[in-house]
Amino acid sequence: MDLIEQIMGLEKTYIKEDFPESFEILKGDLPIILSSPHSVTHFREGKIKQGEFITGALVKILQKRLNCYAITKTKNDLTDPNYDGVHPYKEAIKKVVTEFNLKYLFDLHIMSSKRPSAIEIGTGNGKNVFNNPQYAGIIKESFESQNITPVIIDELFTGGFKNTVSSEVSKTVGIPCIQIEINWRLLDLASPNHQVQGVLDSLTNSILKILKDQ
């Protein structure tokens, strides 16, 4: 099965919410956790919001590549883990991070194809990474090396709201947490110009470099 077929197959399971629980945790050896809290349709301020479906597929493919930890939202339980206060999704992350001594969290999201930037790296204006600019710099350079540009940092989607996955996990368990917003045009499999392979390679390379340089 090639990469596109694999992504499409995984995406269908998230669209159908074909899972037994409201989120799924996968374990591995590499001490990082990948997250996709919007991988299914969710609920915010009384409104249903469309899921960022391919994020779940990306997380699962990266989890296998890296043999790391991962969590994806799998059912719409009329909540939003990246917006609500206390939430089982975030509590599960904190428990796994603490129990297995994980070092980093990478939280994946999709932004509209109308946005001019290709990637936005959110560090909570430095707060979620303890004011270490190295992490965002490594990720930015990795995407740029795949000709995925422009890459911006902490301009719109900073991950700094107190209830975002990145902000809460960083604050409560003390690990660097990075939110990565990926422009939909890079992931639109219906387009001949998608850059899914480049996105996966950029994420893989930057995560491995951050771990190596820690």
Side-chain angles (χ1 to χ4, degrees):
M1 183 185 297
D2 69 13
L3 176 63
I4 303 307
E5 290 176 336
Q6 190 178 1
I7 289 173
M8 290 176 69
L10 288 167
E11 184 184 12
K12 285 179 183 176
T13 64
Y14 284 97
I15 292 171
K16 293 179 180 178
E17 300 183 20
D18 192 16
F19 298 88
E21 305 293 339
S22 65
F23 59 85
E24 179 181 49
I25 296 176
L26 301 173
K27 295 179 180 178
D29 291 327
L30 211 63
I32 65 143
I33 184 164
L34 306 170
S35 164
S36 56
H38 289 161
S39 44
V40 294
T41 299
H42 47 286
F43 194 77
R44 179 186 296 183
E45 295 183 336
K47 295 180 181 179
I48 295 289
K49 294 181 69 73
Q50 180 175 311
E52 299 165 12
F53 295 114
I54 286 185
T55 55
L58 292 180
V59 164
K60 284 200 166 176
I61 290 168
L62 283 167
Q63 189 272 336
K64 283 190 176 181
R65 272 193 183 190
L66 295 166
N67 187 23
C68 63
Y69 291 74
I71 181 169
T72 64
K73 193 75 171 66
T74 51
K75 281 187 184 296
N76 178 12
D77 53 3
L78 301 182
T79 67
D80 183 345
N82 207 49
Y83 186 80
D84 299 344
V86 176
H87 195 285
Y89 184 96
K90 288 180 285 197
E91 295 305 309
I93 292 175
K94 290 185 276 186
K95 182 179 179 182
V96 168
V97 168
T98 302
E99 183 176 352
F100 297 100
N101 194 28
L102 306 187
K103 305 299 185 186
Y104 299 96
L105 176 140
F106 298 86
D107 194 50
L108 302 191
H109 294 266
I110 291 174
M111 59 179 161
S112 168
S113 59
K114 296 177 182 178
R115 301 287 182 188
S117 55
I119 300 289
E120 177 160 7
I121 303 163
T123 71
N125 294 306
K127 178 182 63 177
N128 299 344
V129 295
F130 312 105
N131 297 308
N132 186 339
Q134 177 187 22
Y135 308 122
I138 288 171
I139 297 168
K140 184 174 188 288
E141 183 179 311
S142 184
F143 277 105
E144 289 173 343
S145 73
Q146 295 284 339
N147 296 314
I148 296 175
T149 58
V151 179
I152 61 175
I153 302 170
D154 287 324
E155 292 187 19
L156 182 62
F157 302 108
T158 69
F161 173 58
K162 66 177 182 177
N163 292 338
T164 63
V165 169
S166 295
S167 179
E168 185 173 325
V169 172
S170 175
K171 178 176 61 181
T172 56
V173 295
I175 64 168
C177 297
I178 300 161
Q179 179 175 290
I180 301 174
E181 295 272 348
I182 306 164
N183 193 297
W184 173 246
R185 67 175 178 265
L186 301 174
L187 303 176
D188 184 1
L189 300 180
S191 168
N193 299 316
H194 75 74
Q195 293 176 265
V196 172
Q197 185 70 62
V199 168
L200 283 167
D201 289 347
S202 299
L203 290 168
T204 301
N205 294 337
S206 57
I207 288 168
L208 290 174
K209 188 168 191 337
I210 285 170
L211 277 172
K212 181 182 177 182
D213 292 351
Q214 72 173 344

